[in-house]
Each structure stands twice: as structure tokens, then as C-alpha cells.
């Protein structure tokens, strides 16, 4: 059975062992640091003792200014990933999303958002099925990537922003 809980410091080594972060060697540690600073909650999905997925709630909204100016108080579920790929389409992503929605609701927010890259039609289909709605807002999802030779690249992937209204059950 899959369970979800916020990351703890001792989880970082297991995350590094089981969930690769190509081009972003410090990704798990950076996400945990943001959580420690109160900027986010770094959620991990576990299957038995093994991490099989992750996502991060940005409490101050989407980092992209073109989205944040419209949704400054809407927490964003960012960087959702299930690993390894053969574990996808088994409900782990839905479990992570549901946990995030409950947490956001418990903190008194009535809305959660997320970005999906243009072309990621499968992920978008999942979000729309779960009740996320189009905002019509498009933006560039910016992050940095380091290749095997240590060269740093600035990436800007076109994406769109979806939101879902939340109500306490
Ligand atoms: C998107 C993702 C997090 C969803 O997690 P998941 O555990 O596969 O989701 P669930 O099993 O709860 O739901 C799967 C459904 O989402 C869709 N889906 C999304 N991504 C999919 C993928 N890579 N493979 C298969 N189905 C996918 C399918 O419509 C599927 O429907 P189903 O009910 O017919 O199986 C996961 O597939 C993943 O890590 N994909 C690669 C990274 C990614 O795209 N992240 C999203 C960034 S916005």
C-alpha cells in the first residue's frame, strides 16, 4: 500500500538512491531545504520502505511571475513525479495529489494550482479528470540543468497553469 508523508532529513539518502534527478544532483536536498525554510512541503510517496514518488507544495504560489501575479495566494503542487516508470498508472500520482489537496485545505486555502508542460497530455488528462480547470494562463517553467560535463543550462519549458477549488469534506 502506498503512503504519503512530508520528507524527513533521513529520507534524502533513500530518495537519492531510488529516484534519479538527472541534471539536478541536489534536487532532493534543495526541496527539503525549502521545506525547512517554511516555503514548501516536500511530499514523498512510499511503497513499503521505498520512495516511489514526490511532489512539492509551494505555499507562496507558482514561482513564475506571470502566474504569481494572478494567483499570489494559491499554493502550487510542483514537480510531481512517480518513479520508476513501471509504477505509473497505479494510482500513486492520484494519492500524492489527494494528500496535497487535503493539506492545502487544512491550512485554510480554498484553491490549489499546478503547472503542466505543453505536450504532457497524459499528465494534463489526469489533472483535468481530478477536477483541475484551465486558467488560460501560459508561462515558461524555468529551471537549471547540469550536464555530465558540468555545463549549466537555463531551461524554460512552455507550460500552462491549472487550478482546482477545494472544500473541506
Ligand atoms: C504524471 C504522474 C505523476 C502521474 O502519476 P501516476 O501514478 O502515473 O498517476 P495515477 O496512476 O494516479 O493516474 C494515471 C493516469 O494519469 C495519466 N497519466 C499521466 N502520466 C502518465 C504516464 N506517464 N503514463 C501513463 N499514464 C499517465 C493516465 O491517463 C492515467 O490514467 P489511467 O487511470 O487510465 O491509468 C506520473 O505518471 C509521472 O511521474 N509522469 C512523468 C513525470 C510527469 O509527467 N510529471 C508531471 C509533471 S506536471
Amino acid at each position: 500500500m502506498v503512503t504519503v508523508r512530508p520528507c524527513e532529513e533521513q529520507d534524502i539518502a533513500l530518495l537519492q538512491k531510488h529516484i534519479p534527478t538527472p541534471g539536478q544532483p541536489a534536487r532532493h536536498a534543495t526541496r527539503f531545504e525549502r521545506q525547512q525554510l517554511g516555503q514548501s512541503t516536500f511530499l514523498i510517496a512510499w511503497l513499503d520502505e521505498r520512495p516511489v514518488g514526490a511532489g512539492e507544495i509551494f505555499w507562496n504560489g507558482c514561482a513564475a511571475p506571470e502566474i504569481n501575479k494572478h494567483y499570489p495566494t494559491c499554493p502550487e503542487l510542483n514537480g510531481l513525479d512517480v518513479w520508476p516508470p513501471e509504477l505509473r498508472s497505479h494510482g500513486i500520482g492520484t494519492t500524492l495529489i489527494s494528500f496535497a489537496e487535503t493539506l492545502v485545505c487544512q491550512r485554510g486555502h480554498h484553491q490549489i494550482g499546478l503547472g503542466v508542460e505543453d505536450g504532457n497530455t497524459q499528465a494534463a488528462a489526469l489533472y483535468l479528470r481530478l477536477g483541475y480547470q484551465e486558467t488560460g494562463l501560459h508561462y515558461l517553467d524555468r529551471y537549471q540543468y547540469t550536464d555530465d560535463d558540468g555545463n549549466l543550462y537555463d531551461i524554460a519549458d512552455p507550460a500552462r497553469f491549472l487550478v482546482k477549488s477545494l472544500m473541506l469534506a
Side-chain angles (χ1 to χ4, degrees):
M1 189 186 126
V2 172
T3 56
V4 176
R5 62 168 171 76
C7 184
E8 295 170 11
E9 190 160 16
Q10 66 268 19
D11 300 335
I12 304 292
L14 272 177
L15 284 167
Q16 281 167 345
K17 181 175 172 194
H18 290 289
I19 303 186
T21 56
Q24 296 178 299
R27 181 165 163 82
H28 297 309
T30 301
R31 295 179 112 183
F32 181 70
E33 280 165 22
R34 278 196 292 260
Q35 174 175 268
Q36 293 305 90
L37 292 169
Q39 298 169 355
S40 75
T41 298
F42 182 23
L43 298 176
I44 313 297
W46 298 86
L47 188 58
D48 302 321
E49 305 297 311
R50 173 180 157 194
V52 291
E56 186 177 5
I57 304 168
F58 285 166
W59 292 108
N60 299 318
C62 178
E66 57 269 52
I67 300 300
N68 202 288
K69 72 178 176 192
H70 293 285
Y71 289 93
T73 59
C74 176
E76 182 201 35
L77 179 55
N78 181 277
L80 199 59
D81 190 29
V82 170
W83 191 266
E86 55 267 30
L87 286 183
R88 291 174 188 161
S89 292
H90 289 79
I92 297 171
T94 300
T95 304
L96 271 162
I97 293 167
S98 172
F99 191 100
E101 291 173 357
T102 301
L103 204 55
V104 165
C105 216
Q106 284 171 348
R107 283 218 193 173
H109 295 273
H110 302 294
Q111 201 175 40
I112 184 170
L114 50 76
V116 61
E117 281 175 22
D118 295 355
N120 195 345
T121 51
Q122 288 181 308
L126 170 64
Y127 304 147
L128 293 171
R129 202 182 66 209
L130 292 176
Y132 287 78
Q133 296 185 325
E134 304 283 356
T135 63
L137 294 175
H138 295 258
Y139 67 106
L140 291 174
D141 184 17
R142 297 178 186 279
Y143 60 95
Q144 292 192 318
Y145 178 93
T146 309
D147 70 13
D148 291 341
D149 297 322
N151 302 306
L152 186 65
Y153 299 92
D154 287 315
I155 312 290
D157 288 328
R160 70 188 204 266
F161 196 65
L162 309 179
V163 293
K164 179 176 177 178
S165 294
L166 302 173
M167 280 183 302
L168 271 177

